[in-house]
């Protein structure tokens, strides 16, 4: 994994990054530094010390500091696991379970304390001249997830399992049904309630409502 993979100008928004187990450990430490201390706390020297690795390894894996920051965001977005596509469209029930699993994974990541902290940090920098973190959260986070999700929905449409004219519009409906107003309430500091802790139930409800609109 090199820094070039995280170049905003050239990266594919649908490319799911792959990190070695060691890189994952290092990026988890980087997330902790970023969440606890902001962008200024995420330095190669500080990360090398915290993660017990050499600065040479960090430069080899991620390149410069911007490459490291992009890798951190991509790693967090990669926690939204898309179930294997093998056999996903074999029948209606299998595909529906596939969509439900995606929605549950999306909720788990978006409602996590790490994602909430990253979003709050970016919002706090939104009035600055260069909100690098915000740009990365869009390109390597939201856009990557939405591109892959639209491809999933398009696959269902091609196999006659869903009906819609625009995959982007269909995904926005699914996203809205799943997230509701919970994300903004959590960003504003409201403690997660019991309903928000049962992510599987919330995902099933969102998919049920989505199928009423777009089910074939």
């Amino acid at each position: 994994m090199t820094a070039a993979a995280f170049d905003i100008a050239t990266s594919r928004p649908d490319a799911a990054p792959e990190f070695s187990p060691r890189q994952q450990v290092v990026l988890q430490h980087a997330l902790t530094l970023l969440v606890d201390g902001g962008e200024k706390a995420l330095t190669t020297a500080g990360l090398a010390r915290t993660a017990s690795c050499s600065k040479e390894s960090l430069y080899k894996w991620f390149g410069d500091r911007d490459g490291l920051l992009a890798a951190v965001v991509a790693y967090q977005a990669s926690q939204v696991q898309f179930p294997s596509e093998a056999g996903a469209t074999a029948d209606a029930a299998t595909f529906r379970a596939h969509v439900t699993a995606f929605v549950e994974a999306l909720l788990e990541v978006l409602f996590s304390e790490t994602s909430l902290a990253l979003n709050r940090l970016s919002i706090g920098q939104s009035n600055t001249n260069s909100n690098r973190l915000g740009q990365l959260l869009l390109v390597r986070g939201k856009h990557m997830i939405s591109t892959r999700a639209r491809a999933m929905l398009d696959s269902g449409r091609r196999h006659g399992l869903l009906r819609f004219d625009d995959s982007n519009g269909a995904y926005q409906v699914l996203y809205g049904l799943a997230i509701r107003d919970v994300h903004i309430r959590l960003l504003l500091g409201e403690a997660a309630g019991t309903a928000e802790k049962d992510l599987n139930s919330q995902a099933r409800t969102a998919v049920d409502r989505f199928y009423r609109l777009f089910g074939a």
Side-chain angles (χ1 to χ4, degrees):
M1 183 64 64
T2 64
F6 299 106
D7 187 339
I8 286 181
T10 60
S11 62
R12 292 172 49 208
D14 60 335
E18 294 183 3
F19 300 101
S20 70
R22 178 57 176 150
Q23 289 170 340
Q24 292 180 40
V25 171
V26 171
L27 290 172
Q28 189 59 56
H29 280 288
L31 271 171
T32 300
L33 289 174
L34 188 61
V35 170
D36 291 346
E39 277 194 65
K40 292 182 179 179
L42 184 59
T43 64
T44 53
L47 180 58
R49 182 172 58 254
T50 302
S52 299
C53 69
S54 67
K55 290 195 289 185
E56 289 73 20
S57 293
L58 295 178
Y59 285 120
K60 178 182 177 181
W61 292 336
F62 311 119
D64 60 13
R65 186 176 176 279
D66 282 348
L68 173 60
L69 185 60
V72 168
V73 173
Y75 169 70
Q76 180 64 7
S78 72
Q79 303 310 300
V80 180
Q81 296 292 323
F82 285 76
S84 172
E85 294 182 6
T89 54
D91 55 68
T94 300
F95 181 73
R96 184 165 179 154
H98 185 83
V99 176
T100 303
F102 157 71
V103 172
E104 185 175 358
L106 177 66
L107 295 176
E108 184 174 0
V109 171
L110 287 181
F111 293 172
S112 71
E113 287 301 322
T114 300
S115 287
L116 291 171
L118 285 174
N119 278 276
R120 291 187 187 112
L121 181 60
S122 175
I123 291 170
Q125 299 174 352
S126 61
N127 61 347
T128 61
N129 292 331
S130 177
N131 184 2
R132 171 74 170 174
L133 179 58
Q135 187 182 14
L136 286 169
L137 286 172
L138 285 173
V139 175
R140 297 304 304 172
K142 186 177 186 299
H143 292 172
M144 184 184 74
I145 293 170
S146 64
T147 298
R148 297 184 66 196
R150 291 197 305 271
M152 175 184 66
L153 297 181
D154 274 330
S155 177
R157 177 174 60 175
R158 287 195 304 272
H159 286 81
L161 305 174
L162 295 174
R163 292 181 299 181
F164 52 80
D165 296 325
D166 173 43
S167 60
N168 182 60
Y171 173 65
Q172 292 301 324
V173 171
L174 178 61
Y175 185 92
L177 290 171
I179 305 303
R180 301 176 295 164
D181 68 337
V182 177
H183 197 221
I184 187 63
R185 288 193 283 113
L186 292 176
L187 283 172
L188 293 174
E190 180 177 307
T194 303
E196 283 67 60
K197 292 180 180 179
D198 187 0
L199 299 183
N200 180 262
S201 176
Q202 188 171 330
R204 290 199 310 270
T205 299
V207 173
D208 285 346
R209 293 169 177 171
F210 177 78
Y211 264 77
R212 293 178 193 174
L213 297 170
F214 300 109

